[in-house]
């Protein structure tokens, strides 16, 4: 008897559940539920990692060379390693400012993707509190190039400690 890996068992159970649900709703909607359910469980389950965030930051770094972005953002350029989660939360808040202020399609898509990756990476650390760290509004405001460079530095710190 072949033992299935846990993720394969979940896939089989999900497909059977979709089939069971759709068999009770043999309508067009039921068929769509079945098809999309099977497609959904078949998609690869990837974990986000900090290297992906770094790749997005390098895309943004490249994009801002050709886009005129006149914005200053709270930037933690000399953060303490004991404050990396607090600093990352501030960087996330400032990314929302970029999305709000600029409507550049590629930049916004990259920023949105990066925010999802970071939130995924930090999901298990939601309850971590760091003491003695600066609040976001206490940080110095810097231009977007310096912001991205500091952001790259903190992401590299996360990569080196994971």
């Amino acid at each position: 008897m072949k033992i299935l890996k846990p993720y394969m068992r979940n896939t089989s159970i999900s497909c059977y559940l979709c089939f069971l649900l759709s068999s009770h709703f043999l309508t067009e909607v039921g068929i769509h539920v079945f098809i999309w359910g099977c497609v959904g469980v078949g998609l690869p389950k990837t974990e986000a990692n900090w290297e992906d965030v770094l790749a997005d930051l390098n895309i943004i770094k490249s994009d801002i060379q050709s886009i005129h972005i006149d914005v200053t953002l709270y930037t933690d350029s000399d953060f303490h390693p004991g404050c990396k989660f607090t600093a990352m939360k501030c960087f996330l808040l400032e990314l929302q400012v970029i999305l709000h202020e600029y409507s550049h399609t590629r930049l916004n898509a990259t920023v949105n993707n990066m925010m999802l990756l970071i939130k995924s990476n930090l999901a298990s650390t939601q309850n971590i509190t760091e003491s003695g760290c600066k609040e976001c509004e206490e940080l110095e405001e810097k231009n977007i190039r310096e912001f991205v460079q500091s952001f790259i530095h903190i992401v590299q710190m996360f990569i080196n400690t994971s």
Side-chain angles (χ1 to χ4, degrees), residues 31-138:
I31 292 169
H32 283 119
V33 167
F34 174 71
I35 291 170
W36 285 113
C38 288
V39 167
V41 297
L43 293 174
K45 295 174 179 52
T46 58
E47 289 187 22
N49 62 46
W50 291 108
E51 284 83 8
D52 295 331
V53 175
L54 190 58
D56 280 345
L57 273 169
N58 284 321
I59 291 170
I60 291 171
K61 186 177 180 178
S62 172
D63 283 351
I64 61 175
Q65 300 302 323
S66 60
I67 305 169
H68 176 69
I69 299 179
D70 185 27
V71 64
T72 56
L73 303 163
Y74 292 119
T75 304
D76 198 348
S77 55
D78 59 345
F79 54 87
H80 186 273
C83 293
K84 69 181 185 180
F85 292 103
T86 303
M88 185 57 74
K89 289 175 186 176
C90 292
F91 279 109
L92 275 170
L93 289 171
E94 294 305 287
L95 287 175
Q96 291 176 346
V97 171
I98 294 171
L99 287 176
H100 182 73
E101 296 285 327
Y102 295 93
S103 59
H104 186 270
T105 306
R106 180 178 153 135
L107 177 67
N108 287 2
T110 306
V111 169
N112 275 320
N113 185 62
M114 191 170 57
M115 289 175 66
L116 289 172
L117 291 170
I118 292 169
K119 288 176 183 178
S120 173
N121 284 334
L122 295 179
S124 63
T125 61
Q126 291 290 332
N127 297 328
I128 291 179
T129 54
E130 299 167 315
S131 60
C133 303
K134 291 182 180 180
E135 296 293 322
C136 299
E137 296 78 20
E138 295 176 314

Side-chain angles (χ1 to χ4, degrees), residues 132-149:
C133 303
K134 291 182 180 180
E135 296 293 322
C136 299
E137 296 78 20
E138 295 176 314
L139 300 172
E140 188 178 341
E141 290 186 63
K142 296 192 176 187
N143 68 45
I144 193 162
R145 286 176 179 78
E146 292 175 277
F147 172 82
V148 170
Q149 197 56 46

Side-chain angles (χ1 to χ4, degrees), residues 13-33:
I13 291 168
S14 299
C15 281
Y16 290 130
L17 183 59
C18 285
F19 180 71
L20 180 67
L21 287 173
S22 67
S23 67
H24 290 299
F25 304 104
L26 288 177
T27 63
E28 189 175 337
V29 173
I31 292 169
H32 283 119
V33 167

